[in-house]
């Protein structure tokens, strides 16, 4: 048999903060360190959640930041 490639829809959350400390005026982006997930552990990533058909994209995203 052939292995099939499966696409899993996900919603990503961009949390931004204007004006970094020190008055540089740059925008900061919140990242999370992946741990104990079994996928890309130790890497920095945006908060995200899989989109379930019944729930929709907004619930997939807000479930990660609530």
């Amino acid at each position: 048999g052939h292995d099939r490639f499966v696409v899993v829809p996900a919603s990503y959350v961009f949390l931004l903060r204007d004006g970094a400390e020190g008055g540089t005026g740059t925008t900061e982006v919140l990242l999370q360190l992946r741990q104990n997930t079994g996928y890309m552990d130790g890497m920095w990533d945006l908060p995200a959640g899989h989109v379930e058909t019944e729930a929709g994209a907004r619930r997939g995203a807000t479930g990660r930041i609530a």
Side-chain angles (χ1 to χ4, degrees):
H2 292 97
D3 290 334
R4 292 189 178 257
F5 179 78
V6 177
V7 176
V8 179
S11 290
Y12 289 83
V13 178
F14 288 81
L15 296 174
L16 307 175
R17 180 170 66 179
D18 289 331
E21 287 186 35
T24 61
T26 59
T27 300
E28 295 179 327
V29 178
L30 176 71
L31 298 174
Q32 65 182 7
L33 181 60
R34 296 183 63 89
Q35 296 179 3
N36 303 316
T37 66
Y39 179 75
M40 295 181 63
D41 291 335
M43 303 292 291
W44 290 95
D45 198 4
L46 293 165
H50 289 167
V51 176
E52 304 295 334
T53 304
E54 309 81 37
R58 182 170 287 168
R59 182 171 288 170
T62 57
R64 298 296 177 206
I65 59 172

